[in-house]
């Protein structure tokens, strides 16, 4: 089955710093790829997605590019804010079951 | 999230008792899922449904069963609760007409004592 490797956290940054959270995956075929975000005490929310190779997903200043050659989908943001503090999950879509496989999550802490 | 609700939000139960968690949607989405979230494991798929009375197992289905008798409701049952099933349980829905992204419920925190 599909699997996901995310960088371990917590990642601690100062406000306005550049963010990268690495994500690599193994999957059959070319799955759609997603990033979800979970704020404290809440469920997960879709952050961005990409459905085919070289697609770039973007939302709220976050970006990720579908890299088929390296099976990666790294999340980036040019200038983080305190309000970005959350746990971020990378997830490929199992094309057979239409089910997401989640990584273990990366906690981001942004300090003022 | 709007359109999907989980109940109860919190529950404490004793080892060996059956427990049922409910997921209710008003979006008429075909696909519904149950995940559990544990520290260090992210979210793991328990069971999923691709239509009324059509369900299948995920990676961590042992000790769990599900039922879907109508589109809007997806029930997760712990047949005989154990302490290892203490977790936060999330339901999600997905519409195959769209991009297959999920909408998640707010979660149920279950403690088995």
């Amino acid at each position: 089955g599909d699997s996901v490797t995310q960088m371990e956290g917590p990642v601690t940054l100062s406000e306005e710093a550049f963010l990268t959270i690495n994500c690599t995956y193994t999957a059959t075929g070319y799955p759609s790829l997603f990033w979800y975000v979970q704020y404290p005490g809440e469920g997960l929310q879709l952050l961005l997605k990409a459905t085919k190779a070289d697609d770039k997903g973007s939302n709220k200043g976050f970006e990720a590019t579908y890299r088929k050659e390296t099976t990666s989908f790294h999340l980036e943001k040019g200038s983080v804010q305190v309000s970005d503090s959350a746990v971020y999950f990378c997830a490929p879509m199992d094309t057979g079951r239409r089910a997401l496989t989640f990584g273990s999550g990366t906690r981001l802490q942004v300090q003022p | 999230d709007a359109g999907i609700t989980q109940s109860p939000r919190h529950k404490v139960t004793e080892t060996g008792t059956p427990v049922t968690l409910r997921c209710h949607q008003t979006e008429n989405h075909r696909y519904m899922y149950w995940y559990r979230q544990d520290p260090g494991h992210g979210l793991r798929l328990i069971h999923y449904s691709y239509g009324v009375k059509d369900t299948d197992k995920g990676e961590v289905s042992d000790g769990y069963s599900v039922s879907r008798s109508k589109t809007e409701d997806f029930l997760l049952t712990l047949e005989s609760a154990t302490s290892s099933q203490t977790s936060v349980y999330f339901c999600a829905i997905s519409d195959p007409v769209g991009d297959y992204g999920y909408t998640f419920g707010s979660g149920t925190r279950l403690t088995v004592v």
Side-chain angles (χ1 to χ4, degrees), chain A residues 36-58:
Chain A
Y36 280 80
V37 58
Q38 184 178 33
Y39 298 102
E42 298 183 10
L44 280 71
Q45 302 173 24
L46 177 63
L47 181 59
L48 55 82
K49 65 178 176 72
T51 58
K52 60 183 186 295
D54 300 325
D55 267 3
K56 177 183 285 187
S58 61

Side-chain angles (χ1 to χ4, degrees), chain B residues 17-85:
Chain B
T17 61
V19 177
T20 295
L21 309 183
R22 182 185 184 226
C23 179
H24 178 78
Q25 62 146 328
T26 58
E27 303 296 323
N28 201 36
H29 285 356
R30 178 181 172 190
Y31 289 82
M32 299 185 75
Y33 310 83
W34 277 108
Y35 285 82
R36 58 178 289 173
Q37 183 176 28
D38 304 289
H41 291 279
L43 280 79
R44 293 179 290 175
L45 182 65
I46 305 171
H47 281 280
Y48 65 102
S49 171
Y50 45 95
V52 174
K53 297 186 180 179
D54 291 324
T55 65
D56 208 344
K57 297 179 180 180
E59 286 79 26
V60 291
S61 60
D62 287 349
Y64 301 94
S65 63
V66 290
S67 67
R68 191 162 177 208
S69 59
K70 47 187 177 178
T71 299
E72 56 265 37
D73 288 327
F74 193 33
L75 305 180
L76 176 71
T77 297
L78 287 66
E79 294 142 6
S80 177
T82 68
S83 59
S84 65
Q85 293 175 313

Side-chain angles (χ1 to χ4, degrees), chain A residues 31-110:
Chain A
S32 295
L33 301 173
F34 298 81
W35 276 100
Y36 280 80
V37 58
Q38 184 178 33
Y39 298 102
E42 298 183 10
L44 280 71
Q45 302 173 24
L46 177 63
L47 181 59
L48 55 82
K49 65 178 176 72
T51 58
K52 60 183 186 295
D54 300 325
D55 267 3
K56 177 183 285 187
S58 61
N59 186 28
K60 300 180 180 179
F62 291 90
E63 294 182 338
T65 301
Y66 191 140
R67 299 294 187 195
K68 181 178 66 174
E69 313 79 30
T70 54
T71 61
S72 64
F73 194 51
H74 304 321
L75 183 68
E76 297 181 334
K77 187 176 185 182
S79 176
V80 295
Q81 305 300 312
V82 173
S83 57
D84 293 326
S85 298
V87 181
Y88 293 82
F89 293 92
C90 179
M93 172 68 76
D94 181 319
T95 53
R97 297 183 303 180
R98 298 298 181 195
L100 291 171
T101 298
F102 288 90
S104 56
T106 301
R107 182 176 300 277
L108 171 66
Q109 298 174 341
V110 181

Side-chain angles (χ1 to χ4, degrees), chain A residues 5-18:
Chain A
T5 301
Q6 285 184 236
M7 59 190 298
E8 291 190 16
V11 174
T12 303
L13 296 173
S14 298
E15 205 165 22
E16 299 184 1
F18 184 85

Side-chain angles (χ1 to χ4, degrees), chain B residues 1-6 23-27 91-93 103-106:
Chain B
D1 273 30
I4 177 172
T5 56
Q6 292 184 234
C23 179
H24 178 78
Q25 62 146 328
T26 58
E27 303 296 323
C91 177
I93 59 176
T103 300
F104 279 89
S106 299

